[in-house]
Amino acid sequence: MSVIILDTTLRDGEQTPGVSLSVEQKLMIAEALDNLGVDIIEAGTAIASEGEFKAIKAISEAGLKAEICSFGRIKKEDIDAAADAGADSIFMVAPSSDIHINSKFPGKTREDIIQMSIEMVEYAKERGLIVEFGGEDASRADFEFIKKLLKAGEEAGADRLTFTDTVGVLTPERAQQIMSELKKVVKKPVAFHGHDDFGLATANTIFAVKGGADEIHCCVNGLGERAGNAALEEVVMALEYLYGIKTKINKKAIYPTSKLVEKLTRVVVPPNKPIVGENAFTHESGIHTSAVLRDAKTYEPISPEVIGRSRSIVLGKHAGKASVEAIMKELGYKATKEQMQEILKRVKEIGDKGKRVTDADVRAIIETVLQIKRERKVELVDLNVVSGANIMPTASVKLKINGKEYVEAGVGVGPVDAAINAIKRAVKEYADIELVSYHVDAITGGTDALVDVIVQLKKGDKIVTARGARTDIIMASVEAFVEGLNMLL
């Protein structure tokens, strides 16, 4: 058994509050989704804006393998926009609950909605579109009406029929039952579209497949309106590994795609997010780490390499000897038993103070205990930042890299961003450095507070964390960035 996946990251996902993608960004994500192996890419809503229309047109003309779909209402202008944009298909929804019918089409009856749907499905087919037809807010509608509505859509020529849990109120058991009953009513493929308002989108989607759903709608990273849609990575991995149900997804592309979507949407993936969260394959506890280093299966349900990522061992207050040994080996250092104990003691002291132990902290402790003097490849010689109400934040930086001085300038949305961009330009000859995450805490109160900045930097597959602490947030940020550079270069 194999299930079809419609990815709605570029439509429902972009409806996440605060997310707005350019045409170029949508095309980048569409290409990544195509490489990921999704069957259908819902690229947006062609009628929504000129930008949406251009994005769908660009994606439709990109020569991708996936079917390109536009979202639409049961209105001619929506269908015309989808067809004119060159989309292969339209996912067209009609209001199906009395709540939606009364608010969107005041004075219209259920029979009116059925008749309008029939006419619009027929029109969409005349425009040469593949039609996926669904009832919006179906989970709060009269189920007998839903069956009648979808059957009418099928008879009008719809190619696929969709049940939408628009506000995420279904339970897994009910999702399975609904799909099972719909499969007896219509002959065309049936799809399920679930939202996560009660945290059940993944479970509901899986149970919909158990009930016979031929197609499921998902979003990368669980993006979507309000609490989001069913997360593609969770649904796919659960279906394949726990239920033995195959998809066409290229699993090694899951993590890279997740990171691209995170970067372009600027919606940070929670560290404890299943599959793609930074902590999903990270181990700190001494007991766990010791076991994982002997046999990864002890505390990992799947290998991180399966989804295109790697395992991470970090040190903190729960660390043990095995963790220290693993990191020492990675750094190429050796220590006596007494030195190991001292390193572990110092690491735990930082953790006990409630601080996050960064990679830079660990390295500094190890080198201090082993009395190793490491030559710093990157040194900050000078930094100047200009910012104001009517001035584009600009920074100039002078760095000494391997003894040679480099001077660069950069602009940004703020003074910190400008300073970091200037540094990235200065080191571009050596490496393409990516700022993965940036976190700042005020340690004391007042405008002269000491700030603690922690950054995550990435070079290729390697990610490091580093800290900077100053009363000046710009200098603290630069200090952390330069410390991370010294570990990466």
Side-chain angles (χ1 to χ4, degrees):
M1 178 183 179
S2 181
V3 63
I4 296 167
I5 291 183
L6 179 149
D7 181 277
T8 183
T9 303
L10 294 176
R11 198 274 298 178
D12 228 333
E14 198 189 13
Q15 288 172 206
T16 300
V19 174
S20 182
L21 299 167
S22 67
V23 173
E24 294 75 19
Q25 289 173 328
K26 292 191 81 162
L27 183 57
M28 284 174 68
I29 292 175
E31 289 170 343
L33 293 172
D34 197 51
N35 178 60
L36 184 63
V38 302
D39 301 276
I40 306 162
I41 297 173
E42 189 175 29
T45 307
I47 193 66
S49 70
E50 185 181 347
E52 279 286 271
F53 182 89
K54 287 180 178 178
I56 293 172
K57 191 169 183 62
I59 293 167
S60 298
E61 294 173 351
L64 305 182
K65 298 183 291 294
E67 175 187 312
I68 308 303
C69 178
S70 172
F71 182 77
R73 302 161 297 178
I74 47 170
K75 293 189 173 184
K76 273 192 174 183
E77 56 263 37
D78 291 36
I79 296 166
D80 286 335
D84 293 344
D88 299 310
S89 62
I90 185 169
F91 172 38
M92 188 163 48
V93 294
S96 60
S97 68
D98 290 338
I99 299 169
H100 276 236
I101 293 172
N102 294 334
S103 66
K104 294 183 176 181
F105 292 100
K108 297 290 184 182
T109 65
R110 292 179 180 179
E111 289 304 317
D112 292 332
I113 296 300
I114 288 177
Q115 189 54 43
M116 290 166 65
S117 298
I118 290 170
E119 291 172 5
M120 290 304 100
V121 168
E122 289 175 345
Y123 181 67
K125 293 303 295 181
E126 287 173 15
R127 287 299 320 258
L129 292 166
I130 298 167
V131 177
E132 182 162 328
F133 174 68
E136 189 174 14
D137 200 27
S139 50
R140 292 192 297 180
D142 173 9
F143 190 51
E144 290 305 311
F145 172 62
I146 290 295
K147 289 193 279 189
K148 193 174 178 182
L149 177 67
L150 296 185
K151 186 64 180 174
E154 180 181 50
E155 291 174 349
D159 302 279
R160 302 187 293 264
L161 294 315
T162 302
F163 185 95
T164 63
D165 185 19
T166 303
V167 292
V169 295
L170 282 186
T171 61
E173 296 81 7
R174 182 63 180 143
Q176 182 176 6
Q177 182 185 14
I178 285 169
M179 288 295 110
S180 180
E181 291 187 33
L182 285 179
K183 291 290 287 182
K184 297 173 185 174
V185 176
V186 296
K187 295 182 176 64
K188 292 290 177 68
V190 176
F192 179 78
H193 178 102
H195 280 260
D196 206 33
D197 296 77
F198 284 86
L200 292 172
T202 293
N204 286 341
T205 303
I206 290 167
F207 271 67
V209 174
K210 287 182 66 178
D214 304 286
E215 175 194 314
I216 50 177
H217 293 195
C218 302
C219 273
V220 174
N221 297 341
L223 290 176
E225 294 210 42
R226 304 181 312 282
N229 289 51
L232 181 144
E233 59 280 356
E234 295 175 20
V235 172
V236 166
M237 296 308 289
L239 283 175
E240 295 215 7
Y241 277 79
L242 304 180
Y243 291 89
I245 297 170
K246 297 296 180 185
T247 67
K248 295 176 186 172
I249 296 299
N250 169 18
K251 293 185 286 297
K252 281 189 178 293
I254 286 177
Y255 187 61
T257 305
S258 166
K259 297 308 289 183
L260 175 68
V261 170
E262 179 183 45
K263 180 179 180 179
L264 296 183
T265 61
R266 298 187 179 183
V267 177
V268 177
V269 173
N272 64 332
K273 173 88 167 63
I275 312 298
V276 294
E278 283 307 306
N279 291 351
F281 297 95
T282 299
H283 307 275
E284 179 190 321
S285 168
I287 297 170
H288 284 207
T289 302
S290 180
V292 164
L293 290 171
R294 286 195 298 269
D295 183 354
K297 291 189 181 72
T298 49
Y299 288 104
E300 289 179 351
I302 59 171
S303 169
E305 288 77 16
V306 168
I307 59 163
R309 59 184 306 186
S310 57
R311 183 176 303 107
S312 178
I313 304 295
V314 299
L315 293 180
K317 65 186 290 185
H318 304 107
K321 181 183 173 186
S323 306
V324 176
E325 287 178 338
I327 289 174
M328 293 275 287
K329 184 178 180 182
E330 183 182 328
L331 294 174
Y333 295 152
K334 291 182 179 179
T336 64
K337 183 179 179 182
E338 291 74 22
Q339 287 172 326
M340 292 286 284
Q341 289 173 342
E342 179 62 22
I343 291 167
L344 192 55
K345 176 187 170 187
R346 295 192 187 195
V347 168
K348 288 178 178 287
E349 282 175 356
I350 296 177
D352 281 335
K353 290 175 183 175
K355 292 184 178 180
R356 179 180 175 184
V357 184
T358 67
D359 296 326
D361 294 330
V362 172
R363 187 159 192 160
I365 288 169
I366 290 172
E367 291 173 350
T368 300
V369 172
L370 299 185
Q371 296 185 342
I372 294 170
K373 184 168 177 60
R374 175 168 53 101
E375 183 184 347
R376 295 174 63 82
K377 289 182 179 292
V378 185
E379 289 183 46
L380 177 68
V381 179
D382 192 27
L383 173 70
N384 289 291
V385 180
V386 179
S387 183
N390 300 307
I391 302 171
M392 168 76 76
T394 306
S396 63
V397 64
K398 182 189 287 186
L399 293 181
K400 187 177 284 187
I401 307 173
N402 289 330
K404 183 180 176 182
E405 287 192 350
Y406 293 82
V407 178
E408 280 290 353
V411 297
V413 294
V416 171
D417 190 42
I420 297 302
N421 287 337
I423 294 172
K424 286 169 72 175
R425 291 185 68 180
V427 300
K428 68 178 184 290
E429 180 182 317
Y430 292 89
D432 182 19
I433 303 295
E434 179 185 346
L435 177 64
V436 178
S437 70
Y438 174 89
H439 183 80
V440 60
D441 283 316
I443 298 173
T444 56
T447 54
D448 60 347
L450 182 69
V451 293
D452 187 23
V453 174
I454 295 178
V455 298
Q456 255 192 335
L457 303 183
K458 182 178 182 182
K459 174 193 170 192
D461 294 331
K462 187 177 182 183
I463 297 178
V464 299
T465 54
R467 170 184 279 113
R470 297 283 189 98
T471 52
D472 183 332
I473 189 172
I474 301 172
M475 285 306 299
S477 303
V478 169
E479 184 178 78
F481 202 91
V482 170
E483 185 61 43
L485 285 175
N486 272 293
M487 298 177 67
L488 285 175
L489 296 182

